[in-house]
Amino acid sequence: MIFKNLDKVKYEGPSSKNPLAFKFYDADRVILGKKMSEHLPFALSWWHTLGANGVDMFGRGTIDKNLGEEANSMALAKAKVDAGFEIMNKLGIKYFCFHDVDLVPEADDINVTNQRLDEISDYILSKMANTDIKCLWGTANMFSNPRFMNGAGSTNDADVYCFAAAQVKKALDITVKLGGRGFVFWGGREGYETLLNTDVKFELENIARLLTLARDYGRKIGFKGDFYIEPKPKEPMKHQYDFDAATAIGFLKEHHLEKDFKLNIEANHATLAGHTFAHDLRIASINNMLGSIDANQGDYLLGWDTDEFPFDVYEATYCMLEVLKNGGLTGGFNFDAKCRRPSNTWEDVLEAYILGMDTFALGLIKASQIIEDGRLEKFIKDKYSSFNEGIGKKIVNNEVSLEDLADYACAKKTVATPQSGKQEHLESIVNQILFGR
Ligand code: XLS
Ligand code: CA
Ligand code: CA
């Protein structure tokens, strides 16, 4: 056990000074007719929480996460399960997410890795039996092993493509065995550095083939959940094919995968694509493809994927506005986030989760207040009201030709500028709601 003296992290309210208590996340509090815990199905990320040890490009790890076991052993794999369940139980987190190779050390022979995955998933199932903890999603890591240096679905090497397929098959088997809600494809190496050595059209078609084969296999073995693409514009590749929500949606529609696939939107990936987090959520949502969320944040001064625990309440509020408008998520909120390198104790990990959960609880509370207040929504509705009658109504009913519209304009001779966009007025309302009560 890691936290021997801690039973559960409890809600103590905004004035509590206890670092190991929630200030805003109150699981049973009802917001807009639903409990906070139902609005916010949080998930623990296996890789960052139980794996990441603070290593970066310039230095070794700063926290020992070997839990007293030998590195790369099955004993450590099991100890990680115990630690993961302890952390989830203590925080009241009901879901977890994993890559295949987060769960067990990868062997040279894929058959040995698969046996290890069978063993560890049996162990996880036995732990799940005494709890209400479930699997949010699984995925295959098709970016760490050197065989994927030229991509997985986009590789030039047919044998490597088969290894990618084998990993996806096994990761799907394990996800279904653990009752996962979803299955993620993050195309870390599905991209390229230079057109001088790349056939983009061929690579895109081969990726679509792999996704289609995965969809067909998943449905065959009884997977009822959503497949997700997780967009990201760059890193590790210079150009990644799933650049952002709009690009991924276009790709899925082109390959007739939009009924089985939704998107897993990560905050830090949206900002790397030059968008706000809320923008990518909105694009996914209006296409009925907002499935799940990687709830982290980046750093606007750094140009890479810093995967920080969410702290920014404005961002969380705008995110929750999108989620509430979407009617919730079929997936959940995965903390694809890690502590900063100098935060190198298990206690830091626990406090980081408390921060993330409290930040999203605040986001939910504030988003619900913005909705109840109604001024922002009314403003947007009124803004487009010229399309509710007259020529505007005919336009949206598709009753006019381009000539009709030109005749209308010419008859009017001139037109005034539209009504004010009132951005500052609206931002002031947001601040009033965030800080005025
Ligand atoms: C990396 C991604 C990755 C996915 C799952 O940038 O965020 O962790 O979420 O493969
Ligand atoms: Ca990330
Ligand atoms: Ca992610």
Side-chain angles (χ1 to χ4, degrees):
M1 201 180 286
I2 304 175
F3 303 103
K4 294 197 181 67
N5 300 322
L6 177 75
D7 177 25
K8 285 216 176 260
V9 174
K10 298 196 184 77
Y11 171 73
E12 289 186 5
S15 56
S16 167
K17 295 216 166 77
N18 176 2
L20 297 185
F22 294 117
K23 321 296 179 300
F24 302 101
Y25 181 66
D26 182 4
D28 291 332
R29 176 170 165 191
V30 174
I31 307 261
L32 298 177
K34 242 166 62 174
K35 285 185 183 172
M36 262 198 185
S37 57
E38 293 167 59
H39 280 290
L40 298 168
F42 291 127
L44 169 140
S45 62
W46 215 265
W47 55 105
H48 285 314
T49 312
L50 305 163
N53 66 357
V55 70
D56 72 10
M57 302 273 271
F58 300 95
R60 291 196 299 274
T62 53
I63 172 170
D64 176 3
K65 287 193 176 166
N66 283 340
L67 300 163
E69 303 292 347
E70 194 188 320
N72 296 320
S73 64
M74 281 304 282
L76 174 55
K78 287 192 180 157
K80 281 185 184 175
V81 177
D82 295 342
F85 275 77
E86 180 189 345
I87 293 171
M88 288 187 276
N89 275 318
K90 292 193 167 160
L91 287 164
I93 288 184
K94 305 283 184 243
Y95 293 91
F96 61 90
C97 305
F98 66 90
H99 301 84
D100 45 2
V101 301
D102 302 332
L103 298 181
V104 293
E106 201 178 358
D108 285 341
D109 178 345
I110 193 170
N111 297 293
V112 176
T113 311
N114 286 348
Q115 278 160 16
R116 290 177 182 171
L117 284 168
D118 290 338
E119 190 183 330
I120 205 72
S121 51
D122 283 344
Y123 189 59
I124 295 175
L125 263 187
S126 73
K127 298 286 284 196
M128 286 166 75
N130 309 318
T131 66
D132 51 359
I133 291 173
K134 303 181 199 68
C135 171
L136 183 65
W137 51 256
T139 186
N141 177 328
M142 300 189 286
F143 44 90
S144 294
N145 194 300
R147 64 175 168 259
F148 297 122
M149 71 178 194
N150 290 344
S154 60
T155 182
N156 60 307
D157 185 318
D159 284 1
V160 171
Y161 193 89
C162 296
F163 272 74
Q167 270 188 250
V168 169
K169 176 178 177 293
K170 191 66 187 174
L172 265 166
D173 289 339
I174 301 294
T175 302
V176 170
K177 177 172 170 182
L178 299 177
R181 276 189 175 192
F183 188 85
V184 163
F185 286 90
W186 169 61
R189 304 264 176 209
E190 313 293 30
Y192 67 94
E193 301 294 324
T194 172
L195 288 174
L196 295 176
N197 65 12
T198 308
D199 184 338
V200 171
K201 185 168 189 293
F202 182 82
E203 292 197 355
L204 283 168
E205 283 167 359
N206 257 2
I207 294 170
R209 276 187 198 100
L210 185 62
L211 299 186
T212 307
L213 293 171
R215 189 268 318 269
D216 294 346
Y217 177 74
R219 296 306 179 217
K220 194 167 88 187
I221 63 167
F223 175 60
K224 303 242 165 11
D226 292 319
F227 292 88
Y228 303 123
I229 282 195
E230 181 182 320
K232 185 177 180 181
K234 58 187 170 189
E235 197 202 5
M237 305 306 278
K238 178 170 164 181
H239 299 275
Q240 274 175 212
Y241 292 131
D242 301 321
F243 188 91
D244 60 0
T247 312
I249 290 167
F251 175 81
L252 289 170
K253 289 192 173 168
E254 183 190 350
H255 296 285
H256 314 293
L257 291 165
E258 73 274 19
K259 292 208 167 53
D260 298 280
F261 278 74
K262 287 189 163 68
L263 301 184
N264 180 45
I265 300 293
E266 178 177 316
N268 202 167
H269 296 182
T271 52
L272 283 173
H275 301 308
T276 59
F277 180 22
H279 169 87
D280 255 24
L281 294 170
R282 177 69 62 92
I283 296 296
S285 176
I286 61 176
N287 282 281
N288 297 319
M289 283 199 201
L290 176 54
S292 208
I293 286 178
D294 273 6
N296 61 14
Q297 69 180 45
D299 185 318
Y300 287 104
L301 294 183
L302 302 176
W304 63 88
D305 194 15
T306 57
D307 285 343
E308 296 172 31
F309 275 89
F311 159 70
D312 186 327
V313 177
Y314 282 104
E315 289 295 311
T317 302
Y318 292 141
C319 166
M320 290 314 298
L321 263 177
E322 297 307 316
V323 171
L324 290 172
K325 282 190 203 152
N326 191 61
L329 301 172
T330 48
F333 295 81
N334 163 40
F335 287 116
D336 188 0
K338 57 181 184 249
C339 288
R340 297 307 84 195
R341 191 166 185 263
S343 301
N344 64 343
T345 68
W346 280 109
E347 193 154 305
D348 287 313
V349 173
L350 206 62
E351 285 200 49
Y353 271 94
I354 294 170
L355 167 70
M357 292 165 79
D358 270 342
T359 300
F360 267 79
L362 265 172
L364 170 64
I365 295 166
K366 294 299 162 187
S368 73
Q369 290 172 356
I370 289 174
I371 289 173
E372 279 165 346
D373 174 89
R375 279 178 286 174
L376 296 194
E377 198 170 330
K378 180 170 184 311
F379 180 86
I380 292 177
K381 204 159 167 260
D382 292 348
K383 183 178 171 194
Y384 298 95
S385 59
S386 71
F387 286 90
N388 294 344
E389 57 198 1
I391 191 72
K393 196 167 178 189
K394 286 188 183 159
I395 293 170
V396 295
N397 287 344
N398 301 316
E399 289 167 5
V400 283
S401 66
L402 195 68
E403 299 94 302
D404 294 335
L405 301 185
D407 290 347
Y408 177 90
C410 292
K412 276 200 84 142
K413 291 191 183 139
T414 183
V415 69
T417 53
Q419 71 171 74
S420 166
K422 286 194 167 292
Q423 182 171 331
E424 300 77 3
H425 168 80
L426 300 169
E427 287 169 344
S428 170
I429 292 176
V430 170
N431 273 353
Q432 186 192 14
I433 293 173
L434 257 64
F435 304 105
R437 34 178 129 172

